[in-house]
Amino acid sequence: MKNITLLILAAGMGSRYGGLKQLAALGTNGETIMDYSVDDAIAAGFTKVVFVIRKIMQESFEVQILSKYKHKIQCECVFQELDTLPEGFSKNPEREKPYGTAHAILVAKAAIKEPFAVINADDFYSRKAFVAMADFLQQPHHGEKPVFAMIGYQLKNTLSEHGTVARGVCQANESRELISITEMTKIERKNNTIQNTDEKDTVILTGDEPVSMNFWGFMPYFFTFINELFIRFLIENNDNPKSEFPIPTAINYFITNRLAAIKIIDCDAEWFGVTYQEDKEWVMERLKALS
């Protein structure tokens, strides 16, 4: 069996939720959603967990999170800071937030030398999804270009009843390889339909579309791709203090330029998360039902 790593993105401050929702006690015994993710990853065969956090979180994170895991699995923290940049670049003094999820992956480069999965800290993915991803990471993948993977959830199973959500809506070919990701930022149920409304128009969706919930599977050479792309991003965007370098931007670049194939792993697993404070009670009930 190969060593495989789980990379958990936990550096976000939860602006819509209002606080460090990564550390919120939601389970019946005070568990965080990360507790469930780590336990599911261990059961699925992952051998290491790397957490991406901010240095300001380090003390509380070590007390509340790492202390629970160190006796179960190898753990390590890496830091996503505004000045965590390639040589020759400096942060824009007006920037207040990190550069985005693709940058969060990049800061883990020195800590990961094996196949790895990426998830959000504050999303519940289910054990079935971890098993499916672990199977993908354990298998050899040969071909003309690298093969990465994404767990595909149905859009209708990922919505909040308390406001709009942002989702990467995916298109796939007959081989279930990802063709494109369209980032839709204001998806909601309205008038018995699911729709996304932006400044230009409203798009009606079926709800069956596969969406990315940031559960990805990569090989170590992904870091080489992402580093080169981040340098390009900085050259073009560092003057904009609000510019972001998210995972879907990187994935679309790989697909468009035929640098990698992205396999969609269709999974009927349950997904839920806390986007708004009002979601908290519902999530607590779902976790209680799983106990």
Side-chain angles (χ1 to χ4, degrees):
M1 297 288 286
K2 293 181 181 177
N3 288 330
I4 55 176
T5 288
L6 177 64
L7 179 63
I8 300 181
L9 308 184
M13 302 300 286
S15 57
R16 287 178 292 181
Y17 176 82
L20 292 178
K21 59 180 175 177
Q22 297 90 345
L23 303 183
L26 300 174
T28 54
N29 296 307
E31 299 94 341
T32 69
I33 286 183
M34 277 190 291
D35 293 335
Y36 291 92
S37 292
V38 172
D39 285 346
D40 286 344
I42 292 171
F46 285 81
T47 55
K48 180 179 178 181
V49 181
V50 177
F51 300 91
V52 180
I53 65 174
R54 304 287 298 277
K55 289 182 180 178
I56 194 174
M57 298 167 58
Q58 185 175 7
E59 183 176 351
S60 58
F61 198 90
E62 289 182 350
V63 172
Q64 296 185 46
I65 302 296
L66 289 189
S67 62
K68 295 185 289 187
Y69 303 149
K70 287 184 176 180
H71 68 285
K72 296 181 179 180
I73 191 170
Q74 182 182 354
C75 297
E76 185 172 347
C77 284
V78 296
F79 303 104
Q80 183 184 20
E81 301 296 328
L82 302 184
D83 58 358
T84 311
L85 300 172
E87 185 176 353
F89 292 91
S90 58
K91 80 177 185 69
N92 187 318
E94 298 180 13
R95 177 172 283 275
E96 298 178 353
K97 293 183 178 181
Y99 289 87
T101 49
H103 177 241
I105 294 176
L106 183 57
V107 302
K109 180 179 180 180
I112 299 176
K113 306 300 180 184
E114 57 282 318
F116 67 102
V118 178
I119 64 168
N120 294 332
D122 44 18
D123 291 345
F124 179 88
Y125 292 99
S126 91
R127 183 164 298 184
K128 184 183 293 186
F130 282 97
V131 170
M133 181 58 76
D135 181 66
F136 169 82
L137 295 175
Q138 293 280 1
Q139 300 301 319
H141 299 282
H142 305 293
E144 297 180 358
K145 52 188 176 183
V147 179
F148 304 138
M150 182 201 86
I151 298 290
Y153 292 85
Q154 290 183 309
L155 172 61
K156 62 188 177 186
N157 295 329
T158 71
L159 303 179
S160 170
E161 298 299 324
H162 303 108
T164 62
V165 298
R167 297 288 181 258
V169 180
C170 303
Q171 287 187 312
N173 62 20
E174 293 180 355
S175 300
R176 301 307 292 163
E177 290 184 358
L178 186 63
I179 297 174
S180 66
I181 301 178
T182 301
E183 193 71 12
M184 297 187 178
T185 58
K186 294 185 177 180
I187 301 176
E188 62 182 336
R189 296 184 193 272
K190 191 173 184 180
N191 300 325
N192 296 319
T193 65
I194 297 174
Q195 61 187 50
N196 180 75
T197 303
D198 58 24
E199 296 176 355
K200 296 180 179 180
D201 57 16
T202 295
V203 176
I204 303 299
L205 301 159
T206 68
D208 294 326
E209 294 87 352
V211 295
S212 165
M213 302 310 298
N214 264 359
F215 195 160
W216 300 93
F218 299 119
M219 303 301 155
Y221 41 75
F222 178 77
F223 290 114
T224 299
F225 291 146
I226 206 76
N227 185 67
E228 294 173 356
L229 193 55
F230 186 50
I231 289 174
R232 180 176 300 184
F233 165 84
L234 290 173
I235 292 172
E236 297 175 353
N237 297 282
N238 208 30
D239 290 339
N240 178 1
K242 295 185 178 181
S243 60
E244 291 193 11
F245 183 52
I247 295 172
T249 295
I251 295 298
N252 272 333
Y253 179 83
F254 298 148
I255 294 171
T256 301
N257 292 278
R258 301 181 183 277
L259 295 175
I262 315 296
K263 176 180 174 59
I264 295 180
I265 302 174
D266 293 302
C267 186
D268 60 359
E270 185 174 21
W271 176 95
F272 51 82
V274 179
T275 303
Y276 300 94
Q277 277 283 1
E278 294 84 354
D279 293 325
K280 184 176 179 180
E281 183 176 351
W282 182 85
V283 168
M284 293 177 73
E285 288 297 319
R286 294 302 307 126
L287 293 175
K288 183 179 180 180
L290 293 171
S291 299

